[in-house]
Amino acid sequence: MIFLKLIGSLGLFLYGMKIMSEGLQKVAGDRLRSILTAMTTNRVTGVLTGVLITALIQSSSATTVMVVSFVNAGLLTLAESISVIMGANIGTTVTAWIISIFGFKLIWLLSLFLFWPSPCHLSSQARATVNP
């Protein structure tokens, strides 16, 4: 029974990745092509792009699937995709190291700062009463 759950979960994961990559291919246009070209001009920027994308979506598998779909669509070359995939793997490793060193306390602290009210988030009415 556990094996069937594992196979079903894997199938659902792969199906979701397929749907996401097909959607990205439909959205891809000249602007996306120029953005991808700028982000992967050399190996270093490709690796940094992979690290950044993996940090944003928290999944190196999703990053790899997106990169493979971009190569299939002709938006990236093989050399560019290799550097992005290496960056995705580095990003996953760095995330794991951060969690293992600092634990989940750092994540709670960062999420607290994301939702902390700041003066720039005040409504216009509140700003009018603060700054007469």
Side-chain angles (χ1 to χ4, degrees), residues 13-28 32 61-73 75:
F13 175 74
L14 291 175
Y15 177 70
M17 292 295 165
K18 180 180 178 282
I19 295 297
M20 183 179 70
S21 66
E22 286 175 357
L24 285 171
Q25 286 178 1
K26 289 178 185 176
V27 172
L32 182 62
S61 299
T63 304
T64 302
V65 168
M66 285 190 297
V67 168
V68 169
S69 68
F70 289 153
V71 171
N72 278 338
L75 298 172

Side-chain angles (χ1 to χ4, degrees), residues 1 13 16 49 52 64 66 69-70 80 83 99 104 115 124:
M1 188 65 179
F13 175 74
T49 299
L52 179 70
T64 302
M66 285 190 297
S69 68
F70 289 153
E80 294 169 342
S83 63
I99 289 175
F104 289 102
F115 297 110
S124 59

Side-chain angles (χ1 to χ4, degrees), residues 8-126:
S9 300
L10 181 63
L12 192 60
F13 175 74
L14 291 175
Y15 177 70
M17 292 295 165
K18 180 180 178 282
I19 295 297
M20 183 179 70
S21 66
E22 286 175 357
L24 285 171
Q25 286 178 1
K26 289 178 185 176
V27 172
D30 290 333
R31 185 169 181 209
L32 182 62
R33 184 181 306 267
S34 64
I35 290 171
L36 288 173
T37 303
M39 291 173 65
T40 57
T41 54
N42 58 32
R43 291 181 192 143
V44 175
T45 58
V47 169
L48 291 175
T49 299
V51 170
L52 179 70
I53 298 299
T54 303
L56 288 176
I57 64 175
Q58 289 295 307
S59 175
S60 62
S61 299
T63 304
T64 302
V65 168
M66 285 190 297
V67 168
V68 169
S69 68
F70 289 153
V71 171
N72 278 338
L75 298 172
L76 286 177
T77 65
L78 180 63
E80 294 169 342
S81 66
I82 289 172
S83 63
V84 175
I85 290 173
M86 289 298 289
N89 293 332
I90 292 169
T92 298
T93 305
V94 168
T95 302
W97 272 99
I98 288 172
I99 289 175
S100 68
I101 291 172
F102 297 108
F104 289 102
K105 295 177 185 175
L106 181 68
I107 294 172
W108 284 104
L109 183 65
L110 290 175
S111 64
L112 177 74
F113 285 118
L114 287 175
F115 297 110
W116 193 265
S118 67
C120 61
H121 289 117
L122 292 174
S123 67
S124 59
Q125 184 180 21

